Amino acid sequence: MSQDKHPTGAPWRNFHGRFKGKALRPKQEEYLAEDLGKLSPGPVDWDMNPARKPIDLKALFGDREVWLEIGFGGGEHMVHQAVENPGVGIIGCEPYINGVAMLLGKIRDADARNVAVYPGDVRNMFDVLPEQSISRAFLLYPDPWPKKRHHKRRFVTEQHLTPLAKCLKLGAIFRVATDIPDYVRQTLEEVPRHGFEWLAERPADWREPWGDWISTRYEQKALREGRVPHYLTFRRV
């Protein structure tokens, strides 16, 4: 973002990723035009909410528990969880607009009514989530940033984990799935330092997927290429 467009008071946050890929199909453009606004969780961006007033989750989802998916990719997992858990409200954050468009199509197909979508950096969402308001969070196959000099860009760093911990309820579950061994290492080192405990008692606890898991396209690619998924479960303490 250029200087003249940077909202007054907003922190400078470097975003290292893609906002858009190949051209969207006409149907995807339709989803964005017709559905994205209806599924907004409220004013999240700095230019819309410079005071960083917390969003009203009760107005959004009533008395439901609220879950958060960080980087939902193509949306398979988010829609699956929404359909399987109609008594829960799920917020998804994803800056890659092609993924957002794919999610909106899946939401239409599944007629999921308990979702909200923010097409941007989850750090902006952390600013406006009420403290201890989220019951479960998902980080599934995040960008691995394989080069060592880029490891500070990974989600499992202080700039993300500190605000995540702040918005999670005590006892909330944080799930991380990755097929990158060094990402597993960094996750197991960093996440417990920020108010979480790792819930693993035996190898099956990180080798086998969760009982309500649906394999995503990212996982299928990893399996085709011979990489081994890891399923890490943490609890906010």
Side-chain angles (χ1 to χ4, degrees):
M1 183 180 292
S2 63
Q3 177 68 44
D4 61 329
K5 294 183 179 180
H6 189 76
T8 301
W12 286 94
R13 289 169 173 162
N14 292 326
F15 179 76
H16 304 283
R18 294 187 300 169
F19 285 105
K20 189 172 183 180
K22 61 184 180 181
L24 297 173
R25 299 191 298 273
K27 200 69 176 177
Q28 292 177 320
E29 296 279 9
E30 176 187 316
Y31 299 153
L32 291 170
E34 296 183 2
D35 296 353
L36 186 57
K38 300 174 187 176
L39 295 173
S40 171
V44 176
D45 289 326
W46 277 82
D47 55 349
M48 299 296 293
N49 185 0
R52 311 317 283 150
K53 180 180 178 181
I55 59 176
D56 189 345
L57 295 179
K58 190 172 182 64
L60 195 62
F61 294 124
D63 293 324
R64 293 168 169 161
E65 283 189 8
V66 182
W67 296 357
L68 176 69
E69 183 153 344
I70 301 159
F72 51 71
E76 308 99 307
H77 176 266
M78 182 176 165
V79 172
H80 169 73
Q81 291 290 354
V83 171
E84 293 298 311
N85 299 280
V88 169
I90 304 180
I91 299 173
C93 299
E94 173 62 66
Y96 185 52
I97 201 65
N98 297 66
V100 174
M102 285 189 281
L103 169 73
L104 295 177
K106 293 180 175 70
I107 290 173
R108 275 199 186 189
D109 292 342
D111 194 27
R113 307 291 183 90
N114 54 330
V115 295
V117 182
Y118 172 60
D121 190 330
V122 72
R123 290 175 292 182
N124 296 330
M125 177 62 70
F126 288 151
D127 289 342
V128 297
L129 280 173
E131 291 188 24
Q132 296 192 31
S133 61
I134 302 299
S135 299
R136 183 167 296 190
F138 305 93
L139 178 70
L140 309 176
Y141 293 96
D143 195 321
W145 295 110
K147 295 180 180 179
K148 188 172 182 179
R149 68 176 184 273
H150 292 158
H151 287 184
K152 62 184 178 182
R153 299 180 181 180
R154 290 174 171 175
F155 183 89
V156 288
T157 54
E158 182 177 6
Q159 65 171 321
H160 299 102
L161 293 174
T162 295
L164 171 65
K166 188 175 181 180
C167 74
L168 289 182
K169 294 179 178 180
L170 295 179
I173 295 299
F174 177 38
R175 291 181 175 179
V176 181
T178 180
D179 58 296
I180 306 299
D182 189 68
Y183 207 106
V184 173
R185 174 201 60 78
Q186 188 171 349
T187 300
L188 293 178
E189 288 179 358
E190 295 298 328
V191 174
R193 293 176 181 170
H194 292 84
F196 296 85
E197 63 177 346
W198 183 30
L199 302 180
E201 298 178 351
R202 60 192 189 281
D205 291 337
W206 67 85
R207 292 176 179 170
E208 297 178 3
W210 301 284
D212 59 354
W213 177 244
I214 180 173
S215 187
T216 68
R217 61 195 182 112
Y218 294 107
E219 180 169 279
Q220 291 301 311
K221 179 181 178 182
L223 292 171
R224 288 195 303 270
E225 296 177 359
R227 296 190 298 276
V228 179
H230 293 71
Y231 309 93
L232 309 175
T233 307
F234 300 89
R235 179 167 55 209
R236 178 74 171 93
V237 294

